[in-house]
Amino acid sequence: MTEILLGSLVIMGLVVGLAMGLLAFRSRLLPSGDIGLDVNDRMHLRAKRGVRLLDVLHGFDIPIPAACGGKGTCGLCRVTVLGDGAGTPQATERGVLSPRERRAHVRLACQTTLSGDCAVWVPDGILSAGSGFACTVASARMLAPLIREIVLNMPDDRLSTFRAGDFMQITAPAYRLDFATLELPEPFREPWEIAGWSEMRVSSEAAVTRAYSLANRPEDAGTAVFNIRLAVPPPGRETEIPPGLVSSWLFTVNPGDSVTASGPFGDFHVRPGTREMIFVGGGVGMAPLRAMIHQELAGGTDRRIRYFYGARAAADLFYSEEFEALARQHKHFSWRPALSDPAPGDRWTGASGFIHEILQAEMTRHASPEECEYYLCGPPVMISAVLATLQRLGVEPDAIFYDDFGA
Amino acid sequence: MTDLWSLFLSAAFVDNMPLTLFLGLCTFLALSKRPESALGLGIAMTGVLGVTVPLNWLIYRGLLAPGAWTWAGMPELDLSYLSLIAFIGVIAATVQLLEMLLDRFFPAVHASFGVFLPLLTVQCAILAGSLFMVDRSYGFSESVVFGLGSGLGFAVAVVMLGAIRGRLAYADLPAGLRGLGIAFILTGLMSLGFASFAQMAMSQ
Ligand SMILES: Cc1cc2nc3c(=O)[nH]c(=O)nc-3n(C[C@H](O)[C@H](O)[C@H](O)COP(=O)(O)OP(=O)(O)OC[C@H]3O[C@@H](n4cnc5c(N)ncnc54)[C@H](O)[C@@H]3O)c2cc1C
Ligand code: FES
């Protein structure tokens, strides 16, 4: 008995002693106190030593985009940092940043901890974008079983100076949702039952922010249009793994509700020039491409434009009539939807197959595929398949622009 | 004095931790890609072993060994079953301390260690140092010498391997051998070399 008692006492004493010793050393060794941070030579901030740069910037309402939530994978939080206080780049950053960026002192704000004074440069647009602002939902409708279109009315003081290809960040508050209570329009109820998505539940304890691309047409001025794909768990695991936090919440908002957004941000834009433009999209990769195509056509471009869009079955294809109408109006625009797995009831007469195969088939007949410019947006598997196809067609990487949504 | 000197030599060379006893190989292989990080690891190992072995000696003799509580009228009390957990605690605290010291005074070295520094907490060579100390009933001064000796032996071995691997960067190796493959072969060859120290010790 004494052995056990004394043994426990000894171990407890030892652990407490060690912890106290460490704490004492820590307070001696690691200087506390604040550090100074210059932002774009304009703002002079003070922050606690040892905190993440991203948190400091967000704390001062500088809305650096962070689509991956600070995991160091999306690369959207790039900033230029000078000064010893930022330390050396982490291994995570070396994976994302190119050698040229690293030489230019570009860092990922989410991976940088501050241990001393430093100077930071963020894109000017971000400083003036200010923090999140409240918008009201103008309309919301389902486009496909997992895709919902949401239109937000922008506050009057934020006139829509979007460039096609931009995205905004949307913040979902803490919430709880049982998908069985979600109202679904008739045609989508059956696929939801079959897939078991109605059994999903999700709850979020804190506000979470994610990036969503703008799908605006010129006539949508004053609003922000989004195509949101519900991030569902892998098939068969609907009851164990919750669906995505922000996309689920966006499936619950209704006209009149308030949504916090910030931005717009982005560097996925149409390059000026005269070359033929090929757009390749899949899923919600529709959003930025739709904005680009509408903007180009409305601007009266005479560049030839082709839009390849891949979906699984006819139910997953949306905005189809709109692009058919555009193709009728503009002779130099063509719309090439393709289904990879048409359902028997679809009565699909268009192209069947994966979109990179359709692209390959059409572009091998093209006189000079390497003279075109390519804009891709969609799921990572689609992007990598299309990149491989383009390589086979002899297209140089500098003619390819893509957004893989931070995957 | 000569006893301590020969203990030092045998801890460093005859019973070399990575090359004779094959302890601590994970960090040995992982941080020997470049001579600089190898040197850093060697210094860190010497520091940690040199501190933890005597510290654990004090704790073991003062609190845990059979008969340590004789002064309190409990001569038959034996807390040595706690030694493993106590040693690990001391090692963890020492590594944290080392981490803070490096972060404060040598941030570049600290960054080059990355996650391997906290991993020293569970490095087998370091725990082995303390366990050998108990097993072989060293005295206090012996435990100091043994800790420093085995740390230095580790440092010598890892710096040698680091230097060789640094040179191999220019060698045209078969693809399958690049990186860890050749490092394993080198470790084996070096360990054959170190086996000759054991011969010398025996034939003395
Ligand atoms: C520039 C940019 C533009 C974008 N544009 C759009 C757009 O226009 N439309 C759009 O829909 N999206 C867009 N995205 C993607 C979007 O930002 C989000 O990444 C996406 O909606 C998922 O966010 P979430 O919060 O819903 O999911 P998260 O909560 O981040 O979850 C992601 C996935 O992880 C799974 N998961 C959760 N917990 C676990 C667990 N324990 N184990 C295993 N898996 C788990 C979820 O089921 C889900 O599938 C864009 C991204 C970027 C970077
Ligand atoms: S927030 Fe830093 S990489 Fe995504």
Side-chain angles (χ1 to χ4, degrees):
Chain A
M1 194 57 206
T2 35
E3 205 166 304
I4 295 179
L5 261 177
L6 207 64
S8 321
L9 281 181
V10 165
I11 279 296
M12 281 196 301
L14 192 68
V15 171
V16 171
L18 289 175
M20 305 252 280
L22 273 184
L23 284 178
F25 264 107
R26 199 189 151 84
S27 59
R28 274 288 169 77
L29 280 180
L30 300 185
S32 47
D34 291 351
I35 54 157
L37 186 68
D38 273 5
V39 184
N40 289 18
D41 261 343
R42 265 195 278 155
M43 294 171 77
H44 305 285
L45 314 176
R46 300 208 66 78
K48 275 225 186 67
R49 201 177 290 269
V51 293
R52 288 198 310 176
L53 178 57
L54 184 71
D55 298 333
V56 179
L57 296 175
H58 281 176
F60 284 97
D61 280 346
I62 302 173
I64 301 283
C68 67
K71 293 198 213 77
T73 54
C74 69
L76 288 176
C77 61
R78 280 183 174 81
V79 292
T80 307
V81 187
L82 292 185
D84 289 337
T88 44
Q90 306 284 316
T92 35
E93 301 183 70
R94 271 178 253 142
V96 177
L97 301 173
S98 70
R100 185 189 306 171
E101 284 175 319
R102 273 183 272 147
R103 275 195 299 277
H105 302 283
V106 172
R107 302 285 304 267
L108 296 182
C110 66
Q111 302 296 311
T112 305
T113 25
L114 299 176
S115 59
D117 295 351
C118 44
V120 183
W121 275 266
V122 304
D124 260 332
I126 289 184
L127 264 198
S128 52
S131 57
F133 46 87
C135 315
T136 38
V137 178
S139 72
R141 62 179 172 127
M142 298 281 291
L143 297 173
L146 284 180
I147 300 179
R148 197 165 191 240
E149 178 192 72
I150 294 185
V151 182
L152 301 182
N153 275 327
M154 291 284 106
D156 291 338
D157 53 337
R158 309 210 158 245
L159 269 177
S160 37
T161 47
F162 309 138
R163 282 180 68 189
D166 275 350
F167 64 93
M168 292 183 77
Q169 298 213 95
I170 295 187
T171 305
Y175 72 101
R176 191 174 280 281
L177 169 67
D178 185 345
F179 278 81
T181 61
L182 203 67
E183 294 281 336
L184 288 169
E186 185 45 58
F188 300 116
R189 250 177 246 158
E190 200 185 302
W192 271 65
E193 286 309 322
I194 296 172
W197 292 322
S198 308
E199 283 151 42
M200 298 188 301
R201 282 156 203 272
V202 57
S203 68
S204 164
E205 309 299 331
V208 186
T209 303
R210 297 277 186 265
Y212 293 96
S213 301
L214 289 157
N216 282 47
R217 298 165 297 173
E219 57 261 48
D220 298 319
T223 65
V225 182
F226 300 97
N227 300 152
I228 312 290
R229 179 180 187 276
L230 182 60
V232 289
R237 312 196 46 192
E238 286 78 9
T239 46
E240 308 154 45
I241 300 182
L245 296 178
V246 180
S247 53
S248 298
W249 181 73
L250 286 171
F251 266 60
T252 65
V253 297
N254 288 313
D257 290 353
S258 171
V259 170
T260 310
S262 61
F265 315 103
D267 52 14
F268 180 50
H269 298 133
V270 169
R271 314 284 138 146
T274 54
R275 297 206 269 177
E276 170 169 353
M277 294 192 283
I278 315 283
F279 293 85
V280 188
V284 281
M286 167 66 84
L289 304 185
R290 178 190 193 223
M292 290 173 167
I293 291 169
H294 274 282
Q295 192 192 39
E296 286 302 301
L297 291 177
T301 182
D302 47 13
R303 297 169 74 171
R304 173 112 178 76
I305 300 177
R306 294 167 208 252
Y307 185 15
F308 294 85
Y309 182 81
R312 248 186 55 185
D316 302 310
L317 198 59
F318 55 99
Y319 293 150
S320 197
E321 285 97 41
E322 178 185 311
F323 285 105
E324 278 160 22
L326 275 185
R328 278 194 298 274
Q329 263 172 44
H330 302 273
K331 268 203 292 302
H332 54 296
F333 171 69
S334 56
W335 161 240
R336 295 272 184 277
L339 299 186
S340 61
D341 186 13
D346 283 352
R347 276 181 252 141
W348 178 247
T349 52
S352 303
F354 287 108
I355 198 64
H356 62 276
E357 301 163 351
I358 310 300
L359 175 77
Q360 160 124 11
E362 178 156 337
M363 294 312 285
T364 30
R365 276 181 269 122
H366 192 284
S368 46
E370 69 285 353
E371 290 293 308
C372 307
E373 241 164 40
Y374 296 81
Y375 296 87
L376 328 179
C377 190
V381 276
M382 183 208 94
I383 302 261
S384 49
V386 173
L387 287 179
T389 306
L390 292 181
Q391 199 191 355
R392 256 177 276 129
L393 288 168
V395 180
E396 294 294 328
D398 60 5
I400 308 174
F401 308 95
Y402 64 92
D403 192 344
D404 56 2
F405 284 171
Chain B
M1 184 61 216
T2 47
D3 271 0
L4 287 183
W5 179 236
S6 72
L7 173 64
F8 181 82
L9 286 183
S10 93
F13 297 105
V14 182
D15 282 339
N16 186 281
M17 286 277 184
L19 293 179
T20 314
L21 303 174
F22 295 113
L23 287 168
L25 278 187
C26 44
T27 26
F28 183 70
L29 294 174
L31 284 179
S32 57
K33 277 188 214 112
R34 280 175 299 124
E36 306 88 73
S37 59
L39 187 64
L41 175 67
I43 295 173
M45 284 296 287
T46 315
V48 174
L49 272 166
V51 171
T52 56
V53 177
L55 212 58
N56 281 335
W57 185 90
L58 290 176
I59 286 171
Y60 184 77
R61 290 290 146 182
L63 297 172
L64 307 177
W69 293 80
T70 315
W71 55 270
M74 291 179 273
E76 72 291 353
L77 193 67
D78 176 4
L79 295 183
S80 55
Y81 65 95
L82 289 176
S83 45
L84 213 50
I85 177 174
F87 291 172
I88 292 179
V90 169
I91 292 171
T94 314
V95 170
Q96 290 243 295
L97 183 64
L98 182 77
E99 207 177 341
M100 285 192 259
L101 284 171
L102 283 182
D103 193 13
R104 178 81 173 83
F105 297 110
F106 305 99
V109 180
H110 184 246
S112 79
F113 272 112
V115 75
F116 286 103
L117 190 56
L119 270 182
L120 284 189
T121 314
V122 287
Q123 216 238 24
C124 41
I126 293 175
L127 183 60
S130 295
L131 294 179
F132 283 145
M133 172 273 292
V134 172
D135 204 40
R136 300 176 185 165
S137 323
Y138 287 139
F140 182 72
S141 46
E142 283 169 323
S143 72
V144 177
V145 170
F146 175 71
L148 289 176
S150 33
L152 202 78
F154 196 103
V156 169
V158 75
V159 170
M160 275 165 50
L161 182 64
I164 303 178
R165 287 181 75 180
R167 300 221 145 192
L168 277 185
Y170 304 104
D172 185 17
L173 295 170
L177 276 185
R178 277 183 210 142
L180 270 189
I182 193 70
F184 269 106
I185 294 179
L186 282 176
T187 311
L189 290 178
M190 285 168 70
S191 132
L192 283 181
F194 269 68
S196 61
F197 288 120
Q199 286 296 321
M200 279 157 62
M202 267 199 281
S203 57
Q204 243 177 22

